[in-house]
Amino acid sequence: PADVKLVLLVRPFQVNPWYQFLNLTGGTGKVNRVEEIVKGRQLKIDSKTLSLTRPYSRYTTAAFRQGNLAEIVRSAAWSPATTLIDPDHLGQAAMEFSFSLRPDEVEELFATVPYHTIDSPAQLPDNETMAEAFDRASEFWASKVGHIDFKLPPQARPVIDTWLSNLIYILINRDMAGIQPGSRSYERSWIRDGSLTSSALLKSGITQEVKDFIRWYAPYQYENGKVPCVVDFRGPDPVPEHDSHGQLIYLIREYFNFTGDTAFLNEMNPYVLNAVSYIQTLIAERSTDYYRLGSDSLRAHYGIVPESISHEGYSEKPMHSYWDNFFIIKGLKDATEIQRILGRTADYERIARVRDKFTVDLYNSIALAMQLHGIDYIPGCVELGDFDATSTTVALTPCNEYQHLPKPEVYNTFNKYFDFFVKRRDGKLDWTNYTPYENRLIGSFVFLDQPDRAHELVDFFLADRRPQGWNHWAEVVWKNYREPRFIGDMPHTWVGSDFINAIRSMFVYEDELDQSLVIASALPQDWIDYPEGIAVSNLPTYYGEISYSIVRQENTYIIRVEGDLNLPHNGMKIKNINKGKLPSAMRINGTIKPVSNDGVIQINRTPALIELTY
């Protein structure tokens, strides 16, 4: 038996350190006033009410100038409690609880601080009610992010836990319908972050929040069709960032891809058409004879959209960013397809002409920029010829421009990045920090059919989650993670959504160029070879939800694929099951099939049972 005491301290807490400066000044929270409103059970701390499920035996308050509260408690110098008003805004309080416990006996205490309005200051919780509330909250989040069912080996847990944690962080960071990348520095809704984060939600089976976001954001579009880059409590920001117009169109189409909600697509189409009209005015600014007939440096600007600061690296001086232009071409492609889906033939033909002309001008611009700067990779912008694979990667996904990108320059771009990545990882070059938006390059290597490179990136980025157990990233990761420098937000959920989108492509992705659904193309071999087998169920895709399992039995892999799918023209493709090796024999649904030279397995219907023998 033991008599024990528990002391809970109420003190100002510092969440943002002093070196955080963007949007919200760093420093401690404020506690101006502390008063007891129900003896032994409830305190009011400024606007917050702290309630306890069992009474404390004694209680004290102390202004900051009176000293460290922990030391006051240890010295037993408890003064009679009064209502405290601290002129330094750093008020403190302590509550002591006494327990007499028998061996193996458990006592529970809940301390609750609702961040919503409670019915009455005297409303007091009890242990049973709070335990039930805690279980309900747990069940809510599990059901909210548990649409996909993963059965994977233990070594996959960090990847999946990080996926699920970031889904929750995305939903927590929302303000009403507004999807936001952070809760402090970035407590604003960008269409850039919101569109790519929404894609991660849709790929995880979360749809209503995306619909709410679109319906909330779209009406902020200006009369001339301009899509604001960001919206916050002050309204839309007029700063021009020319990726935004394409991103709104992409988001509307992406929502339709996963839901088939034609009525909503039709409701949103006026915003799509207005955005296309504004895109045309932007293109017209760079389609004059001044650019068409000028020097090579001027002709590199012809037919693309004007300079902007949507690429953060160009915030000091706007540039003609290819990031902008890749999202413009994505918006034009999706706008064209939306008109086809809705049966609007005249709009389809009109926008298709804009799309086709812009495509020609964009790739002429890229070719001229590479020539002007003497480079063999895709530049980040016209003016600088800069190398920026983290920006260029959107050309592969979600913009699906692989077929138009110059070769071998697109491969040179990602080879150059990987060489840099390996040297940084292995300590062969000096570096200070990086932004883990680089997570999105995992998906680039999946799309380029280089899964081993994707796995190396996954391992590196997972090691830079801080704190590790929280499964998230700051916007800026420092080599010396104790160095007191700007970190953006933690968690930064656009970074988190980049990770989700990239990891999802390891399990499944839509190859819009080939019109196929690609399955299991980049799963680590040690996952696939796990003795108990692996399975993933209810994976949302453009074509319906898919489930599949892979089990190795000696020298044979047995793959089962199921799902009520409306498959694209070229069906489903499975590859890289055994590190790309060609099987010696293959059966599909019991029938012997020839093995293609590239080892890709083609499936045109479900359910399917595939047996690969090596």
Side-chain angles (χ1 to χ4, degrees), residues 535-547:
V536 57
S537 304
N538 311 319
L539 262 174
T541 76
Y542 289 1
Y543 313 109
E545 293 193 348
I546 188 170
S547 302

PDB file of all heavy atoms in Angstrom, residues 535-547:
ATOM      1  N   ALA A 535      -1.550  -7.397 -47.733  1.00  0.00           N
ATOM      2  CA  ALA A 535      -2.833  -7.091 -48.359  1.00  0.00           C
ATOM      3  C   ALA A 535      -3.178  -5.634 -48.111  1.00  0.00           C
ATOM      4  O   ALA A 535      -2.822  -5.060 -47.084  1.00  0.00           O
ATOM      5  CB  ALA A 535      -3.932  -7.992 -47.807  1.00  0.00           C
ATOM      6  N   VAL A 536      -3.853  -5.036 -49.064  1.00  0.00           N
ATOM      7  CA  VAL A 536      -4.383  -3.683 -48.916  1.00  0.00           C
ATOM      8  C   VAL A 536      -5.794  -3.697 -49.499  1.00  0.00           C
ATOM      9  O   VAL A 536      -6.021  -4.245 -50.573  1.00  0.00           O
ATOM     10  CB  VAL A 536      -3.476  -2.636 -49.609  1.00  0.00           C
ATOM     11  CG1 VAL A 536      -3.285  -2.947 -51.080  1.00  0.00           C
ATOM     12  CG2 VAL A 536      -4.029  -1.240 -49.424  1.00  0.00           C
ATOM     13  N   SER A 537      -6.744  -3.141 -48.745  1.00  0.00           N
ATOM     14  CA  SER A 537      -8.149  -3.213 -49.147  1.00  0.00           C
ATOM     15  C   SER A 537      -8.765  -1.818 -49.202  1.00  0.00           C
ATOM     16  O   SER A 537      -8.390  -0.928 -48.430  1.00  0.00           O
ATOM     17  CB  SER A 537      -8.945  -4.070 -48.150  1.00  0.00           C
ATOM     18  OG  SER A 537      -8.383  -5.352 -48.025  1.00  0.00           O
ATOM     19  N   ASN A 538      -9.697  -1.652 -50.110  1.00  0.00           N
ATOM     20  CA  ASN A 538     -10.501  -0.428 -50.240  1.00  0.00           C
ATOM     21  C   ASN A 538      -9.669   0.788 -50.637  1.00  0.00           C
ATOM     22  O   ASN A 538      -9.902   1.898 -50.146  1.00  0.00           O
ATOM     23  CB  ASN A 538     -11.250  -0.114 -48.935  1.00  0.00           C
ATOM     24  CG  ASN A 538     -11.987  -1.310 -48.381  1.00  0.00           C
ATOM     25  OD1 ASN A 538     -12.594  -2.067 -49.136  1.00  0.00           O
ATOM     26  ND2 ASN A 538     -11.922  -1.493 -47.075  1.00  0.00           N
ATOM     27  N   LEU A 539      -8.718   0.595 -51.529  1.00  0.00           N
ATOM     28  CA  LEU A 539      -7.916   1.715 -52.018  1.00  0.00           C
ATOM     29  C   LEU A 539      -8.729   2.501 -53.035  1.00  0.00           C
ATOM     30  O   LEU A 539      -9.057   1.988 -54.106  1.00  0.00           O
ATOM     31  CB  LEU A 539      -6.648   1.197 -52.702  1.00  0.00           C
ATOM     32  CG  LEU A 539      -5.345   1.166 -51.924  1.00  0.00           C
ATOM     33  CD1 LEU A 539      -4.270   0.481 -52.749  1.00  0.00           C
ATOM     34  CD2 LEU A 539      -4.887   2.568 -51.543  1.00  0.00           C
ATOM     35  N   PRO A 540      -9.080   3.765 -52.761  1.00  0.00           N
ATOM     36  CA  PRO A 540      -9.825   4.552 -53.749  1.00  0.00           C
ATOM     37  C   PRO A 540      -8.958   4.856 -54.978  1.00  0.00           C
ATOM     38  O   PRO A 540      -7.766   5.169 -54.857  1.00  0.00           O
ATOM     39  CB  PRO A 540     -10.170   5.835 -53.004  1.00  0.00           C
ATOM     40  CG  PRO A 540     -10.034   5.499 -51.541  1.00  0.00           C
ATOM     41  CD  PRO A 540      -8.931   4.495 -51.481  1.00  0.00           C
ATOM     42  N   THR A 541      -9.544   4.753 -56.152  1.00  0.00           N
ATOM     43  CA  THR A 541      -8.889   5.148 -57.397  1.00  0.00           C
ATOM     44  C   THR A 541      -9.906   5.879 -58.266  1.00  0.00           C
ATOM     45  O   THR A 541     -11.089   5.944 -57.939  1.00  0.00           O
ATOM     46  CB  THR A 541      -8.351   3.936 -58.187  1.00  0.00           C
ATOM     47  OG1 THR A 541      -9.445   3.262 -58.823  1.00  0.00           O
ATOM     48  CG2 THR A 541      -7.596   2.964 -57.286  1.00  0.00           C
ATOM     49  N   TYR A 542      -9.440   6.411 -59.396  1.00  0.00           N
ATOM     50  CA  TYR A 542     -10.358   7.065 -60.333  1.00  0.00           C
ATOM     51  C   TYR A 542     -11.425   6.097 -60.840  1.00  0.00           C
ATOM     52  O   TYR A 542     -12.482   6.539 -61.313  1.00  0.00           O
ATOM     53  CB  TYR A 542      -9.603   7.586 -61.556  1.00  0.00           C
ATOM     54  CG  TYR A 542      -8.704   8.774 -61.322  1.00  0.00           C
ATOM     55  CD1 TYR A 542      -8.536   9.364 -60.064  1.00  0.00           C
ATOM     56  CD2 TYR A 542      -8.002   9.334 -62.389  1.00  0.00           C
ATOM     57  CE1 TYR A 542      -7.700  10.447 -59.885  1.00  0.00           C
ATOM     58  CE2 TYR A 542      -7.159  10.422 -62.219  1.00  0.00           C
ATOM     59  CZ  TYR A 542      -7.004  10.980 -60.972  1.00  0.00           C
ATOM     60  OH  TYR A 542      -6.175  12.053 -60.803  1.00  0.00           O
ATOM     61  N   TYR A 543     -11.143   4.806 -60.756  1.00  0.00           N
ATOM     62  CA  TYR A 543     -11.990   3.812 -61.421  1.00  0.00           C
ATOM     63  C   TYR A 543     -12.765   2.936 -60.448  1.00  0.00           C
ATOM     64  O   TYR A 543     -13.376   1.947 -60.836  1.00  0.00           O
ATOM     65  CB  TYR A 543     -11.122   2.934 -62.342  1.00  0.00           C
ATOM     66  CG  TYR A 543     -10.188   3.757 -63.181  1.00  0.00           C
ATOM     67  CD1 TYR A 543      -8.801   3.766 -62.931  1.00  0.00           C
ATOM     68  CD2 TYR A 543     -10.672   4.581 -64.187  1.00  0.00           C
ATOM     69  CE1 TYR A 543      -7.950   4.549 -63.687  1.00  0.00           C
ATOM     70  CE2 TYR A 543      -9.820   5.374 -64.946  1.00  0.00           C
ATOM     71  CZ  TYR A 543      -8.463   5.356 -64.691  1.00  0.00           C
ATOM     72  OH  TYR A 543      -7.615   6.150 -65.434  1.00  0.00           O
ATOM     73  N   GLY A 544     -12.763   3.319 -59.179  1.00  0.00           N
ATOM     74  CA  GLY A 544     -13.425   2.544 -58.146  1.00  0.00           C
ATOM     75  C   GLY A 544     -12.401   2.077 -57.119  1.00  0.00           C
ATOM     76  O   GLY A 544     -11.199   2.358 -57.229  1.00  0.00           O
ATOM     77  N   GLU A 545     -12.861   1.352 -56.107  1.00  0.00           N
ATOM     78  CA  GLU A 545     -11.963   0.912 -55.035  1.00  0.00           C
ATOM     79  C   GLU A 545     -11.392  -0.464 -55.361  1.00  0.00           C
ATOM     80  O   GLU A 545     -12.111  -1.361 -55.803  1.00  0.00           O
ATOM     81  CB  GLU A 545     -12.707   0.887 -53.700  1.00  0.00           C
ATOM     82  CG  GLU A 545     -13.095   2.279 -53.239  1.00  0.00           C
ATOM     83  CD  GLU A 545     -13.556   2.334 -51.803  1.00  0.00           C
ATOM     84  OE1 GLU A 545     -13.797   1.257 -51.206  1.00  0.00           O
ATOM     85  OE2 GLU A 545     -13.666   3.448 -51.258  1.00  0.00           O
ATOM     86  N   ILE A 546     -10.096  -0.588 -55.111  1.00  0.00           N
ATOM     87  CA  ILE A 546      -9.394  -1.821 -55.425  1.00  0.00           C
ATOM     88  C   ILE A 546      -8.822  -2.436 -54.159  1.00  0.00           C
ATOM     89  O   ILE A 546      -8.431  -1.728 -53.226  1.00  0.00           O
ATOM     90  CB  ILE A 546      -8.274  -1.565 -56.463  1.00  0.00           C
ATOM     91  CG1 ILE A 546      -7.672  -2.881 -56.940  1.00  0.00           C
ATOM     92  CG2 ILE A 546      -7.205  -0.650 -55.903  1.00  0.00           C
ATOM     93  CD1 ILE A 546      -6.742  -2.704 -58.118  1.00  0.00           C
ATOM     94  N   SER A 547      -8.794  -3.766 -54.123  1.00  0.00           N
ATOM     95  CA  SER A 547      -8.165  -4.511 -53.030  1.00  0.00           C
ATOM     96  C   SER A 547      -7.265  -5.569 -53.665  1.00  0.00           C
ATOM     97  O   SER A 547      -7.622  -6.157 -54.696  1.00  0.00           O
ATOM     98  CB  SER A 547      -9.217  -5.198 -52.152  1.00  0.00           C
ATOM     99  OG  SER A 547     -10.122  -4.267 -51.608  1.00  0.00           O
TER     100      SER A 547
END
